[in-house]
Amino acid sequence: GEDVEQSLFLSVREGDSSVINCTYTDSSSTYLYWYKQEPGAGLQLLTYIFSNMDMKQDQRLTVLLNKKDKHLSLRIADTQTGDSAIYFCADDVNNNDMRFGAGTRLTVKP
Amino acid sequence: DGGITQSPKYLFRKEGQNVTLSCEQNLNHDAMYWYRQDPGQGLRLIYYSQIVNDFQKGDIAEGYSVSREKKESFPLTVTSAQKNPTAFYLCASNRGSGELFFGEGSRLTVL
């Protein structure tokens, strides 16, 4: 099947920016998503980007999409300890097949 | 408040036993999904259902079974045929496409 890849760990200091990267292989994706998972909980949608957009900004979150390189990134400005979580990149290959990366565990140090 | 409720949150099973995980949603969503999450791996799709009385196998359906008798409910049975069932199980729903809404998950441990 199609793959979504992301690095497993990221550690930053409180107040710094965090950048989580993701690559995907399916060029027919309509939307690409970022989900956040708190410890022992389900996933919650953080943000998403339509495939014909290059950038989307939502308060502290900036999503960049390079469709040519099939690269997606999530930047969190002024990272706080409450941002510590696992972040999943996902693309909707088709309506019933959303492909998830392995998740990047973000640790924010005081 | 609308949402997805999974139960139980924690479940222990002896080898050879079947167990059923409950998933209920009051979002009026047509589609429901079951995912398995293992450390260091992405979510893997077990089964999904687009409509009542119909469901399809996902990538890792072997050793699992589901039913969809009501729109609101999509229970997952982990059978004794599943060789490595210890995992975190997530139920999700949507209108058939787009954003997935997830439950809080059920952690199954085989003793």
Side-chain angles (χ1 to χ4, degrees):
Chain A
E2 303 295 340
D3 289 333
V4 177
E5 295 188 353
Q6 50 185 130
S7 54
L8 294 182
F9 302 99
L10 176 65
S11 180
V12 301
R13 292 226 173 262
E14 192 173 17
D16 289 349
S17 291
S18 307
V19 179
I20 302 172
N21 295 301
C22 170
T23 58
Y24 61 98
T25 56
D26 193 300
S27 58
S28 64
S29 302
T30 304
Y31 290 96
L32 293 124
Y33 302 85
W34 284 104
Y35 285 85
K36 178 181 180 182
Q37 185 181 34
E38 307 271 1
L43 279 67
Q44 288 187 309
L45 181 68
L46 200 58
T47 188
Y48 66 93
I49 188 167
F50 190 49
S51 59
N52 69 353
M53 296 171 63
D54 297 324
M55 185 181 85
K56 179 179 180 181
Q57 188 151 3
D58 183 3
Q59 299 182 337
R60 292 191 297 122
L61 305 177
T62 303
V63 179
L64 295 177
L65 175 60
N66 181 330
K67 209 173 178 186
K68 173 176 168 289
D69 295 337
K70 298 190 180 72
H71 182 266
L72 182 73
S73 68
L74 173 69
R75 178 177 181 269
I76 305 173
D78 187 24
T79 314
Q80 303 298 306
T81 54
D83 295 323
S84 293
I86 302 177
Y87 292 82
F88 290 90
C89 170
D91 72 350
D92 60 342
V93 175
N94 60 53
N95 284 344
N96 293 296
D97 192 7
M98 189 171 292
R99 295 284 167 167
F100 289 86
T104 299
R105 183 180 295 275
L106 174 64
T107 302
V108 182
K109 298 179 180 178
Chain B
D1 288 334
I4 298 182
T5 302
Q6 289 186 239
S7 63
K9 191 166 177 65
Y10 299 96
L11 187 60
F12 298 89
R13 184 193 101 173
K14 293 181 180 178
E15 285 192 24
Q17 286 182 333
N18 292 355
V19 293
T20 297
L21 308 180
S22 169
C23 178
E24 303 278 331
Q25 55 100 357
N26 60 3
L27 299 166
N28 200 31
H29 285 167
D30 288 315
M32 297 186 74
Y33 308 80
W34 274 105
Y35 290 91
R36 172 180 169 140
Q37 183 179 15
D38 294 283
Q41 298 191 41
L43 277 65
R44 292 183 290 169
L45 183 64
I46 304 172
Y47 268 98
Y48 66 93
S49 168
Q50 291 179 276
I51 197 168
V52 174
N53 292 323
D54 185 52
F55 48 82
Q56 306 296 328
K57 292 182 179 179
D59 298 322
I60 55 164
E62 185 175 350
Y64 300 97
S65 66
V66 293
S67 63
R68 187 85 187 275
E69 297 176 2
K70 298 187 300 182
K71 187 175 186 178
E72 301 80 15
S73 180
F74 191 41
L76 174 74
T77 297
V78 185
T79 75
S80 56
Q82 170 50 237
K83 298 305 178 191
N84 184 23
T86 294
F88 191 53
Y89 291 88
L90 287 160
C91 180
S93 72
N94 67 9
R95 296 177 190 85
S97 63
E99 177 188 356
L100 285 169
F101 293 79
F102 284 85
E104 290 291 292
S106 293
R107 185 168 298 280
L108 172 64
T109 303
V110 173
L111 303 174

